[in-house]
Amino acid sequence: MFASYTFGQSADNLSDEYEKLKKESSSSPEVVIKEGRFLKKKAIYAGDLKLASKISYSIGFAFFHTGNSDSCIHYSNSAIEFADKIDYKEGKALGWRMLGTEYAKIGLVEKAKTAFNKAIGFVEGQENDEAYSIKGKVYSSMLLLYNPDKEQSERVKTAQRAASAYNKISDVSSRRELLPTAYTNLSYEYAATKQFDSAHYYLNKAL
């Protein structure tokens, strides 16, 4: 897929390669891991630490999908480290979001809460599409923290916050890509609390 890599590519070309790679994160994580490592080296060679942070996050996300916890945590921390060097707040938030998601998955609830709170802290007050997208993703991941049988009201509030964040995204295509999942989650949470009118309303919005 990305066999034509050469060092010395322009920043635009590297960003284009990253956007292509990012789309494979869920469906082909092995591709992201293999090609992402090489693309990350190219970003570092080009001095683009912002892109290196994003690629590290994507590799960590791919390892999350393969069930490799140690590698997920390693690359999430790598994303944070690159972002720290250039004070890229959204990159720090992405890294902490991924750490929180992985910690929640393996049952380290307190560490997950800390990571999610740090992620939100970095994008709180940031008014741009990337920050709104990250905030929505963090809140979506935070649903992992709450017991579906005992903490239903918190789950509804968290799902609402995710949808609200995505609704602030100005880019129409990005907003349309992200909102259906958020509305589906919200519909499910309302159904779980027997608020069926609200559940039906958000299910229709998700379609």
Side-chain angles (χ1 to χ4, degrees):
M1 181 178 174
F2 299 99
S4 59
Y5 283 148
T6 57
F7 281 89
Q9 284 178 260
S10 70
D12 286 343
N13 285 342
L14 287 175
S15 294
D16 288 344
E17 295 288 359
Y18 168 68
E19 290 301 321
K20 292 175 185 176
L21 190 66
K22 188 170 66 171
K23 293 176 182 178
E24 303 287 333
S25 292
S26 299
S27 59
S28 304
E30 293 82 4
V31 172
V32 176
I33 292 165
K34 180 182 177 181
E35 305 295 349
R37 283 169 168 162
F38 190 51
L39 187 58
K40 178 180 173 182
K41 289 180 181 178
K42 290 172 65 179
I44 295 169
Y45 180 84
D48 193 340
L49 299 188
K50 182 176 181 179
L51 185 58
S53 176
K54 290 181 177 181
I55 295 167
S56 296
Y57 166 81
S58 292
I59 297 172
F61 189 69
F63 273 119
F64 174 83
H65 280 285
T66 66
N68 188 328
S69 181
D70 288 344
S71 292
C72 175
I73 290 169
H74 169 78
Y75 280 97
S76 299
N77 279 316
S78 178
I80 295 167
E81 289 167 9
F82 283 117
D84 272 336
K85 291 179 180 179
I86 54 172
D87 195 26
Y88 172 37
K89 289 181 173 60
E90 290 86 351
K92 297 177 194 179
L94 277 174
W96 282 109
R97 180 255 176 166
M98 194 68 256
L99 281 176
T101 307
E102 181 60 36
Y103 288 146
K105 179 183 177 183
I106 61 178
L108 299 177
V109 176
E110 291 306 314
K111 293 187 77 168
K113 287 180 180 177
T114 298
F116 287 139
N117 287 335
K118 286 187 176 183
I120 290 294
F122 282 118
V123 289
E124 199 67 55
Q126 299 288 105
E127 297 181 355
N128 59 71
D129 282 1
E130 185 179 18
Y132 294 139
S133 173
I134 293 167
K135 192 179 293 186
K137 289 173 182 175
V138 174
Y139 284 127
S140 293
S141 291
M142 286 177 71
L143 288 170
L144 294 168
L145 296 176
Y146 302 113
N147 188 309
D149 297 320
K150 299 178 181 178
E151 299 174 286
Q152 293 173 335
S153 62
E154 283 301 318
R155 291 180 65 87
V156 170
K157 289 177 187 176
T158 303
Q160 287 173 331
R161 289 174 181 141
S164 176
Y166 289 147
N167 261 311
K168 293 178 181 177
I169 296 173
S170 61
D171 183 78
V172 175
S173 61
S174 295
R175 193 168 66 244
R176 286 177 176 171
E177 179 184 347
L178 293 166
L179 274 172
T181 299
Y183 286 146
T184 300
N185 287 341
L186 198 46
S187 174
Y188 176 84
E189 298 306 334
Y190 274 121
T193 60
K194 296 182 170 36
Q195 298 180 66
F196 297 116
D197 287 345
S198 294
H200 183 69
Y201 172 77
Y202 282 104
L203 183 60
N204 283 335
K205 286 178 74 71
L207 300 176

